[in-house]
Amino acid sequence: MSIAFVFPGQGAQTIGMGRDLAEAYPAARAVFDEVDDALGEKLSDLIWEGDIETLTLTQNAQPALMATSLAAMRALEAEGYGVNTASYVAGHSLGEYSALAAAGAISVADTARLLRIRGAAMQEAVPVGVGAMAALLGLDFATATEVAEEAAQGEVCQAANDNDPAQVVVSGHKAAVERAIEIAKAKGAKRALLLPVSAPFHCALMEPAARKMAEALDKVDISAPAVPLVANVRAEAVDSAMVIRNLLVDQVTGSVRWRESVMWMAAQGVTEMWEIGAGKALSGMIRRIDRDVATRNVGVAADIAALKA
């Protein structure tokens, strides 16, 4: 059996996530304390007792989801399941930062600060209302890419997230994304709908954010991960610190090749993928990509108890 640890992205956040892990495992609690210290504020109070609208703000959701994933990772480690239990780590968009922190490539404190910068930079890159994202359901990636290209008409419209065989997200100028919805329906999409996001992530409109992340990443120590990272923009394993630094910049404007990443890991013999952190979105995608790959969720103390049993 070969295992991969995978880490969720934005949209998985809920009020109260990670709290029972922090109460059950001192090492998990220490992660939240470290993130609070790194950001100079009590993000843990927002995560556990705040309101969902404030938590969902990009600059809050990104470090909060990372903190929850790393708390789950520390709880796993306390029970003897270190990162070397896995053959690979991977994460969906911001989850790639969680994966790198879990693999020891970036410190938790630096990861929290990077994600706060990333969240703010992505939000500020495009004025509210100018961009949009839409999910196209029932179309494969090649068809969704054709839809995006047809819809662009001189504006930006790109296939941003290749999530699974029947779910692709497009991103770009709002009018172009709205055109993509209508074109997708005409091409046989089961559903095509705008997503409730605050900015058009993973497209060329994010170039200002990519420049800010390049500057921020240049100031941070990055080392080779303890296990290889399957990178979003490559959909294959990398373990060079220099390459990872560059790919984290490319990731801001590049497509999240999640379907291909899962297929690549399965082709390397991975038979089980553990979703580390909040929610179960990745597990659903993985099952739709390859039914032969087993999934396990590690997001609450009960999940770890079940693993031990």
Side-chain angles (χ1 to χ4, degrees):
M1 181 179 70
S2 178
I3 296 169
F5 288 171
V6 299
F7 297 82
Q10 210 159 323
Q13 65 273 3
T14 58
I15 295 298
M17 62 184 183
R19 188 168 197 163
D20 74 325
L21 291 169
E23 291 171 348
Y25 293 92
R29 175 70 207 215
V31 170
F32 289 103
D33 291 341
E34 188 173 359
V35 170
D36 287 351
D37 289 344
L39 298 179
E41 64 182 74
K42 294 284 285 184
L43 184 65
S44 57
D45 285 351
L46 172 61
I47 297 169
W48 296 335
E49 298 172 352
D51 64 273
I52 190 62
E53 291 80 10
T54 305
L55 180 61
T56 298
L57 292 173
T58 304
Q59 64 266 32
N60 292 330
Q62 294 199 19
L65 284 161
M66 182 278 296
T68 303
S69 286
L70 266 291
M73 193 67 234
R74 296 292 179 263
L76 276 176
E77 290 168 355
E79 298 294 354
Y81 300 95
V83 71
N84 288 310
T85 304
S87 300
Y88 302 99
V89 294
H92 191 283
S93 190
L94 86 88
E96 192 155 270
Y97 285 79
S98 305
L100 288 166
I106 310 176
S107 73
V108 171
D110 280 342
T111 306
R113 288 187 286 262
L114 285 170
L115 286 174
R116 172 55 57 84
I117 293 167
R118 183 178 184 267
M122 292 171 86
Q123 186 63 64
E124 293 164 3
V126 181
V128 174
V130 171
M133 299 181 80
L136 311 183
L137 307 181
L139 297 182
D140 61 26
F141 185 70
T143 305
T145 300
E146 291 172 6
V147 167
E149 290 171 353
E150 184 179 339
Q153 297 179 23
E155 294 185 308
V156 171
C157 189
Q158 294 173 228
N161 294 3
D162 182 10
N163 285 336
D164 65 43
Q167 184 191 121
V168 180
V169 174
V170 295
S171 181
H173 285 107
K174 190 169 189 287
V177 171
E178 289 172 340
R179 288 193 292 269
I181 288 173
E182 297 310 312
I183 294 167
K185 290 176 180 176
K187 288 184 179 288
K190 292 179 180 177
R191 290 182 71 199
L193 65 159
L194 286 172
L195 295 175
V197 296
S198 53
F201 306 130
H202 298 292
C203 75
L205 294 178
M206 288 287 112
E207 183 56 38
R211 290 195 296 270
K212 288 184 181 178
M213 287 311 298
E215 293 172 8
L217 284 157
D218 276 344
K219 299 172 184 174
V220 169
D221 289 331
I222 300 178
S223 56
V227 297
L229 170 79
V230 179
N232 282 185
V233 296
R234 288 264 189 96
E236 63 184 15
V238 296
D239 56 13
S240 159
M242 184 175 69
V243 171
I244 287 168
R245 191 187 302 271
N246 293 333
L247 292 180
L248 287 174
V249 177
D250 295 345
Q251 186 222 56
V252 178
T253 55
S255 297
V256 176
R257 296 168 62 184
W258 187 251
R259 176 183 59 86
E260 291 177 274
S261 295
V262 171
M263 290 172 62
W264 187 90
M265 287 186 280
Q268 309 313 305
V270 171
T271 55
E272 196 166 316
M273 297 186 188
W274 296 9
E275 184 169 3
I276 314 294
K280 299 181 178 180
L282 297 185
S283 297
M285 293 178 196
I286 291 163
R287 286 192 291 271
R288 290 189 289 275
I289 295 165
D290 189 338
R291 292 187 178 277
D292 291 332
V293 176
T295 58
R296 179 182 290 274
N297 295 97
V298 183
V300 296
D303 294 334
I304 297 175
L307 177 62
K308 289 165 62 180

